[in-house]
Amino acid sequence: QVQLVESGGGLVKPGGSLRLSCAASGFTFSDYYMSWIRQAPGKGLEWVSYISSSGSTIYYADSVKGRFTISRDNAKNSLYLQMNSLRAEDTAVYYCARGVDTGREDYFDYWGQGTLVTVSS
Amino acid sequence: SYELTQPPSVSVSPGQTARITCSGDALPKQYAYWYQQKPGQAPVLVIYKDSERPSGIPERFSGSSSGTTVTLTISGVQAEDEADYYCQSADSSGTSHVVFGGGTKLTVL
């Protein structure tokens, strides 16, 4: 069965860095695009970043552009999110999600359980 | 930026029908997707491409589309359906590949 397991969250000071990982299993990881989606405490879902199956195409939300970097290692079935210059407003649960591209819009058929990132002094 | 609008809350009694709407200008051209999220859990896809139901999702969940509004309908609501529901789509210009609605809290009275 499809499993996505995030790790790497924790408490970090404003301006600090953190690297999230997502270990995928139960499917051919290299066949799917992946995304990071976050949810601030008590708030809704916010898409953060997308990476194509090969890693050649990447998109970011304006709120993280220039600070976050998404990457993947298909040999290790892993997805990553390098987060730099963290701000209090980046505090959220970060989910990795498997993407489906319909050719018109994208959606997410499997989600991990999430990892909490807290940015606070 | 493109927005999808949902009511903040919907309340129904057990056994009744709940309808949750999502409005957006691009919805006549783009499919909508619905996710259920229970407290402390990850979202789960319950409807894709406006009205398709993934395997394992109960038949009481259905989706429909009319113009700029899509609707998630839960027939014969059960206590276990109490959750937050999010619609998701994209704008038709290709600028925003993924947009989520603000979410609707479904309360089963």
Side-chain angles (χ1 to χ4, degrees):
Chain A
Q1 71 282 19
V2 173
Q3 281 199 316
L4 299 168
V5 180
E6 302 94 336
S7 61
L11 175 64
V12 61
K13 289 181 169 54
S17 298
L18 214 54
R19 189 193 195 208
L20 306 184
S21 299
C22 172
S25 60
F27 66 103
T28 305
F29 183 69
S30 58
D31 284 349
Y32 288 86
Y33 93 81
M34 300 293 295
S35 271
W36 289 99
I37 297 159
R38 69 183 180 183
Q39 186 172 35
K43 302 296 184 182
L45 300 171
E46 179 189 16
W47 171 79
V48 172
S49 184
Y50 154 110
I51 186 168
S52 63
S53 56
S54 67
S56 60
T57 301
I58 287 173
Y59 300 114
Y60 297 100
D62 289 344
S63 57
V64 307
K65 202 172 294 183
R67 301 187 298 122
F68 289 13
T69 302
I70 191 172
S71 62
R72 65 190 295 160
D73 186 336
N74 286 343
K76 295 183 178 180
N77 292 338
S78 293
L79 174 73
Y80 307 101
L81 186 68
Q82 177 67 43
M83 303 186 296
N84 298 330
S85 303
L86 283 162
R87 307 166 179 166
E89 54 265 34
D90 296 318
T91 295
V93 173
Y94 285 73
Y95 296 101
C96 75
R98 190 176 84 166
V100 180
D101 183 355
T102 69
R104 301 199 313 187
E105 61 287 306
D106 308 327
Y107 70 100
F108 310 100
D109 59 353
Y110 288 94
W111 299 59
Q113 282 304 305
T115 187
L116 176 62
V117 172
T118 303
V119 184
S120 174
S121 55
Chain B
S1 61
Y2 183 56
E3 293 184 354
L4 296 172
T5 302
Q6 299 180 237
S9 63
V10 169
S11 298
V12 295
S13 298
Q16 290 191 329
T17 297
R19 293 180 180 85
I20 300 172
T21 59
C22 173
S23 299
D25 290 341
L27 288 177
K29 300 178 183 178
Q30 305 289 132
Y31 284 126
Y33 304 84
W34 290 95
Y35 302 90
Q36 175 195 65
Q37 186 180 34
K38 297 181 179 180
Q41 297 184 19
V44 172
L45 179 71
V46 294
I47 293 290
Y48 66 100
K49 291 186 178 181
D50 288 349
S51 60
E52 300 294 321
R53 197 173 49 250
S55 61
I57 300 302
E59 291 184 6
R60 64 180 181 273
F61 289 86
S62 63
S64 61
S65 176
S66 179
T68 59
T69 299
V70 294
T71 302
L72 172 69
T73 300
I74 310 172
S75 304
V77 167
Q78 300 182 6
E80 67 196 51
D81 299 329
E82 185 164 289
D84 294 325
Y85 291 86
Y86 294 89
C87 65
Q88 179 244 309
S89 187
D91 72 14
S92 54
S93 68
T95 303
S96 299
H97 296 266
V98 177
V99 178
F100 289 100
T104 299
K105 169 68 176 176
L106 174 66
T107 299
V108 181
L109 301 171

